[in-house]
Amino acid sequence: MNHRMAMMAPAFVALLLAACSKDKADSGITSEPIGDAESDAPSDAAKPEACPAGLPGPKLVKLAAPDGTGYCMDQREVTAGEYVTFAKAMAGKTGGQIEACAWNTRYEPKLIPPHDGQMVGMDGYCMAEEYDPVKYPDRAVACVDWCDAAAYCAWAGKRLCGKVGGGTATLAGINDPAQSEWTNACTQGGKTKYPWGDSYAPGTCVDPVKIQQQGEAAKDVTGTASSACHGALEGFAEVYDLVGSVQEWTAECESPGQNCSVHGDGSMSSPEVPMSCNAGSTHVTSTYFERGFRCCADLVSGK
């Protein structure tokens, strides 16, 4: 290249670049990036919320309350086998409970010796055959008091089901699906009387009819795939045995640890007591062979 052409080359390149820029401007194309690459990247807050995974006990299912609030509930009741794993892990240590549970110095149920008829019906005691996690590990745990249930859920990284939206739950809203996480689940957000509809069909859940038809094996709650005792709507269809089986403690109380609710009226042993989603309340020290629990949890950022 001679000296004259070398002098012209930079000028030619500049003219060419200017022409390209004009063509981009005329076509609407800009050299500036569209959006902020950093702000467009998905953040934890933008990820869908999900239930915690890998925690002890039943799988958690995501549910929605009538106001759209989301939370998680155990798919089924905690079993005797799962509960005894907790009791053994605690190795007799009962520290860390709320002040109202300071009286609770053991997590293992107090059992009446076989053939000791004098103690039958005593508050705080159960028959030995009513709590046998070795022989019946897949039955819903029973014979636990409120403080036992609360301690298990805390150990599992969960909590007792309570008020929709969190906060302190009282007894005032225990039968209101807009206030109670448990009642919301049992009524599919207040849309039905039972988890699946408005009519109860004997034998659908763990009730006297099912036990008569299938024997004691009907009390096992881990076989969810073959169970008809669940809801029909999204989320609710994955939660089992909210009616039938055992009644369930929740964290809805007059005050923390004082006179708390039990949900799921009915009895496995008496067909005269109809199954329902209704709740009542009782002393937290009370244990009963048809009273257990399941846990709830808050949603976490999806992974």
Side-chain angles (χ1 to χ4, degrees):
M1 181 182 295
N2 60 32
H3 179 71
R4 179 178 178 82
M5 292 180 66
M7 292 292 291
M8 291 177 62
F12 176 76
V13 172
L15 288 170
L16 183 61
L17 291 175
C20 290
S21 297
K22 183 177 185 304
D23 288 343
K24 287 183 180 180
D26 291 343
S27 65
I29 300 173
T30 174
S31 59
E32 295 298 321
I34 300 174
D36 184 343
E38 186 173 325
S39 63
D40 285 348
S43 64
D44 287 343
K47 292 178 182 177
E49 292 184 311
C51 292
L55 299 179
K59 168 190 171 183
L60 286 162
V61 175
K62 181 179 178 180
L63 299 176
D67 65 355
T69 301
Y71 64 97
C72 305
M73 174 179 270
D74 277 345
Q75 182 180 51
R76 53 169 173 75
E77 295 148 324
V78 173
T79 65
E82 289 163 342
Y83 183 81
V84 79
T85 298
F86 151 74
K88 288 180 177 179
M90 299 307 291
K93 299 176 182 178
T94 57
Q97 299 181 85
I98 65 172
E99 185 177 351
C101 289
W103 58 269
N104 192 36
T105 58
R106 57 179 291 160
Y107 293 131
E108 296 83 358
K110 292 180 288 187
L111 304 179
I112 300 171
H115 312 298
D116 189 341
Q118 293 183 346
M119 295 181 68
V120 173
M122 287 184 63
D123 187 40
Y125 287 83
C126 277
M127 299 290 290
E129 61 267 27
E130 294 164 354
Y131 176 81
D132 191 339
V134 175
K135 189 175 182 180
Y136 304 115
D138 294 333
R139 290 185 182 181
V141 69
C143 301
V144 291
D145 57 55
W146 186 89
C147 294
D148 294 336
Y152 173 92
C153 291
W155 169 81
K158 307 175 185 178
R159 56 175 172 76
L160 274 178
C161 303
K163 181 182 177 181
V164 167
T168 303
T170 66
L171 294 175
I174 58 176
N175 288 306
D176 181 357
Q179 298 185 59
S180 170
E181 290 176 325
W182 199 99
T183 299
N184 173 68
C186 195
T187 64
Q188 301 190 104
K191 295 180 176 66
T192 53
K193 183 178 179 181
Y194 294 98
W196 57 84
D198 291 327
S199 299
Y200 185 76
T204 301
C205 301
V206 183
D207 62 7
V209 171
K210 187 170 185 177
I211 294 170
Q212 184 180 33
Q213 292 172 343
Q214 301 181 14
E216 291 294 300
K219 295 180 181 179
D220 291 355
V221 296
T222 57
T224 54
S226 61
S227 173
C229 190
H230 59 82
L233 304 178
E234 182 179 359
F236 302 106
E238 299 179 61
V239 180
Y240 298 81
D241 297 311
L242 288 164
V243 293
S245 194
V246 296
Q247 297 175 350
E248 301 179 24
W249 289 111
T250 68
E252 298 161 298
C253 310
E254 284 186 359
S255 61
Q258 298 290 334
N259 195 33
C260 298
S261 60
V262 285
H263 284 257
D265 282 352
S267 172
M268 286 186 286
S269 58
S270 175
E272 287 76 31
V273 182
M275 301 291 176
S276 79
C277 291
N278 292 340
S281 63
T282 188
H283 298 297
V284 297
T285 58
S286 174
T287 60
Y288 186 51
F289 77 96
E290 290 180 354
R291 185 169 298 142
F293 67 98
R294 74 181 71 209
C295 307
C296 283
D298 296 327
L299 292 167
V300 296
S301 296
K303 302 299 182 185

